[in-house]
């Protein structure tokens, strides 16, 4: 299937990051040859799924597992591996890392837990790990992580049993949580979303989500990036990378409330940040934010189709009731169901005879049972210049119409890519049928008109934010008048206070930016002459108080003149008391 492949933005790739996904040799430290443990699972997984590189084990006893030799020390390995995976008790990790450094290993993945996510008293271990890594110029992921997966080379660092073939795709995953990451590894392929690379970053003691975002933005095999994050280590850099990206970045961000902060801290040491700030940054940077796993799947699916370049949609439906539901869904997401032109209606009338249903948008196709007609109508609709995308409700009985519906689905795929516009297809049938289709057919399908409309909204919003991002700073506003700004600044300086505190809105207005209305009051009797609508805010103007809220100098949500007078009195009384 053809997928949406955006151009790269990263010029200078960090080739040291490449080793975490394309090592020629890997050593797993913490392997038992006699009993099942996590190190043994990692080693056997890679041997059985066919990792395209050399494998070594390190444990307390020599032996062999799945044809891979296990040694008793890092120093005893026959070569210097590209990457060492360490999964031994936390207290032993500094010594293991020291051995790796002496051997010349420059890349490590510390999967062991029990660091500061468990107790603040473990910080000393983290300091030791950082010092050793710095001394040997080492890059490492973790601790408390499950490392990377490369679906191209069959590299699998997580310690869960490999239960499926690693079929490569073009979607990459960055996860702060190994558990959530494992869920993605199950649910995404189950919905025919195939992955290129995966990394779980854990505590992010050294390398973090931003390092891997930058790497994946430059990865030619990755077209879409998914991230599950509980917090940011370098939020500004993450924002800058997303703002410069042509590839869709889809983020499920948790740790949004006070109640989740303590759990996240004990889980991956994540610190919470203001969710309003995160939301605003995502909007400005063009990040697609999703609320849960289902929405993440929908977003990833629709972003593999041509982009929705506007909000004019044609709705075609095999059910009148579902057409009504779709109209509500389109209204919810701000789509315009444009009237079909007369030429289109006349053309449709040549395809079949309608007896009851009128030709309009949404177009009810409930009178059609000839499956060869549906693609013809879809192709006629998607060609219309006034249509940016199509939402098609295909209601059918799988027992009788299953095979014909699959052929129709192939036609939808062809038409979608031929005209470069998205077709959000709601396949509505029995649950087993739809689940089978999702697993076996690469074309994105949805289960309800609402989820199909939401998917189009995700695509349209991405295009809108990307365009706004590209034109940010080029808005045609009235030029700043230097004399006016200079006068404001000089007046502030004459009064001996910081420039442009209370006058900031005046500067914005001078620059042509819209600002809220306001009035300056110096006496109580001036209140009656106010020409402002309610509600209003009352704010102290004082050369000695640049931060008004710190001295109680702000009152909000006042709905009448009496309230204004009372607020002024309260503020003045506070000032007198402080003096």
């Amino acid at each position: 299937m053809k997928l949406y492949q955006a151009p790269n933005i990263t010029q200078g790739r960090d080739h040291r990051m490449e080793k975490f996904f394309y090592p020629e040799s890997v050593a797993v430290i913490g392997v038992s040859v006699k009993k099942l443990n996590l190190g043994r699972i990692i080693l056997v997984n890679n041997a059985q799924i066919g990792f395209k590189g050399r494998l070594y084990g390190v444990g307390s006893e020599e032996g062999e597992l799945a044809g891979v030799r296990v040694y008793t020390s890092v120093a005893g390995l026959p070569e210097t591996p590209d990457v060492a995976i360490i999964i031994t008790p936390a207290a032993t990790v500094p010594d293991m890392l020291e051995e790796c450094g002496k051997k010349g290993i420059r890349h490590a993945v510390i999967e062991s837990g029990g660091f500061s996510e468990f107790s603040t008293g473990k910080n000393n271990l983290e300091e030791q790990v950082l010092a050793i890594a710095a001394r040997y110029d080492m890059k490492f992921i973790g601790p408390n992580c499950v490392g990377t997966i490369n679906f191209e080379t069959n590299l699998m660092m997580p310690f869960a049993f490999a239960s499926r073939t690693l079929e490569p795709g073009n979607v990459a995953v960055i996860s702060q949580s190994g558990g959530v990451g494992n869920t993605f590894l199950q649910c995404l392929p189950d919905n025919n979303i195939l992955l290129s690379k995966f990394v779980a970053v854990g505590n992010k003691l050294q390398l973090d989500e931003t390092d891997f975002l930058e790497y994946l933005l430059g990865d030619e095999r990755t077209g879409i990036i998914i991230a599950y994050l509980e917090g940011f280590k370098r939020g500004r850099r993450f924002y800058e990378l997303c703002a410069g990206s042509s590839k869709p970045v889809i983020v499920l961000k948790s740790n949004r409330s006070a109640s989740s902060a303590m759990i996240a801290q004990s889980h991956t040491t994540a610190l919470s940040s203001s969710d309003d700030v995160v939301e605003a940054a995502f909007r400005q940077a063009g990040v697609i934010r999703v609320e849960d796993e289902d929405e993440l799947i929908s977003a990833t699916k629709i972003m593999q189709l041509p982009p929705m370049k506007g909000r004019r949609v044609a709705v075609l439906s095999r059910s009148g009731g579902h057409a009504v539901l779709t109209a509500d869904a389109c209204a919810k997401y701000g789509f315009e169901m444009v009237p079909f032109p007369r030429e289109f209606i006349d053309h449709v009338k040549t395809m079949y005879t309608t007896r009851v249903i009128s030709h309009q948008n949404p177009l009810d196709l409930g009178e059609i049972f000839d499956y060869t007609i549906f693609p013809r109508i879809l192709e006629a609709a998607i060609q219309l210049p006034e249509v940016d995308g199509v939402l098609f409700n295909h209601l059918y009985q799988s027992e009788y119409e299953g095979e014909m519906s699959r052929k129709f689905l192939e036609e939808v795929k062809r038409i979608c890519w031929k005209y470069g516009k998205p077709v959000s297809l709601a396949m509505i049938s029995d649950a087993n049928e739809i689940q089978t289709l999702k697993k076996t057919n690469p074309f994105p399908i949805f289960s309800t008109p609402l989820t199909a409309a939401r998917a189009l909204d995700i695509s349209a919003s991405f295009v809108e934010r990307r365009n706004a991002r590209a034109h940010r700073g080029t808005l045609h506003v009235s030029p700043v008048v230097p004399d006016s700004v200079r006068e404001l600044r000089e007046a502030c300086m004459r009064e001996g206070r910081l420039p442009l505190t209370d006058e900031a809105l005046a500067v914005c207005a001078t620059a042509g930016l819209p600002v809220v209305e306001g009035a300056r009051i110096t006496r109580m009797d001036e209140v009656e002459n106010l020409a402002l609508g309610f509600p209003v805010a009352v704010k102290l103007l004082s050369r000695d108080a640049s931060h008004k809220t710190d001295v109680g100098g702000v009152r909000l949500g006042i709905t009448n003149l009496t309230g204004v007078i009372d607020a002024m009195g309260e503020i003045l009384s506070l000032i007198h008391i402080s003096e």
Side-chain angles (χ1 to χ4, degrees), residues 228-245:
Y228 167 75
L229 298 172
E230 295 169 2
F232 297 95
K233 191 172 181 181
R234 295 180 291 150
R236 179 174 292 277
R237 181 58 180 156
F238 188 91
Y239 164 84
E240 290 170 350
L241 288 169
C242 292
S245 169

Side-chain angles (χ1 to χ4, degrees), residues 64-193:
E64 187 174 295
L65 290 170
V68 178
R69 186 70 181 167
V70 179
Y71 298 82
T72 56
S73 69
V74 174
L77 294 174
E79 67 169 308
T80 299
D82 288 333
V83 178
I85 301 172
I86 301 174
I87 187 159
T88 61
T92 69
V93 168
D95 290 339
M96 294 297 103
L97 199 64
E98 182 76 31
E99 284 192 41
C100 291
K102 291 177 178 178
K103 183 68 175 177
I105 299 172
R106 297 295 176 257
H107 296 79
V109 178
I110 305 173
E111 300 197 12
S112 312
F115 288 77
S116 60
E117 84 281 356
F118 180 74
S119 169
T120 56
K122 303 294 184 181
N123 286 344
N124 183 52
L125 284 178
E126 296 189 344
E127 292 169 2
Q128 292 179 58
V129 166
L130 285 170
I132 294 166
R135 184 161 63 250
Y136 291 105
D137 190 26
M138 234 185 238
K139 296 277 190 185
F140 71 88
I141 309 173
N144 187 34
C145 72
V146 296
T148 69
I149 301 175
N150 187 340
F151 290 77
E152 177 190 359
T153 64
N154 294 328
L155 170 69
M156 186 173 182
M157 294 188 184
F159 44 73
F161 286 103
S163 59
R164 64 172 78 224
T165 303
L166 302 184
E167 185 178 354
N170 83 326
V171 178
V173 173
I174 303 169
S175 180
Q176 191 165 348
S177 162
V180 174
N182 185 63
T183 299
F184 289 174
L185 292 172
Q186 298 296 322
C187 71
L188 294 173
D190 279 348
N191 285 273
N192 225 287
I193 298 170

Side-chain angles (χ1 to χ4, degrees), residues 29-55:
I29 302 173
V31 175
S32 172
V33 295
K34 290 186 175 179
K35 62 181 180 180
L36 183 66
N37 73 344
L38 300 183
R40 180 175 181 148
I41 292 172
I42 297 170
L43 196 68
V44 172
N45 273 345
N46 283 275
Q48 291 183 343
I49 65 176
F51 165 59
K52 298 172 183 177
R54 298 178 297 280
L55 288 169

Side-chain angles (χ1 to χ4, degrees), residues 3 80 159 214 451 497 571:
L3 300 175
T80 299
F159 44 73
E214 187 164 11
T451 55
R497 57 190 174 90
I571 291 173

Side-chain angles (χ1 to χ4, degrees), residues 342-399:
R342 172 52 55 188
E343 295 80 6
F344 171 80
I345 298 299
D346 291 342
H347 181 49
V348 168
K349 286 181 178 179
T350 67
M351 300 181 195
Y352 73 103
T353 301
T354 179
R355 298 175 178 82
V356 179
I357 300 171
S358 61
H359 294 93
Q360 60 185 351
N361 190 7
L363 183 60
D364 187 345
L365 306 178
E367 292 182 308
I368 302 176
F369 297 95
D370 182 350
Y371 264 71
T372 64
I373 296 176
F374 297 135
R376 293 164 58 194
I377 295 177
L378 172 60
E379 190 157 13
I382 205 169
Q383 291 183 65
L384 294 173
E386 53 266 70
V387 168
D388 299 307
V390 177
L391 195 158
F392 198 115
N393 294 319
H394 183 62
L395 182 74
Y396 68 103
Q397 296 184 48
S398 62
E399 184 178 356

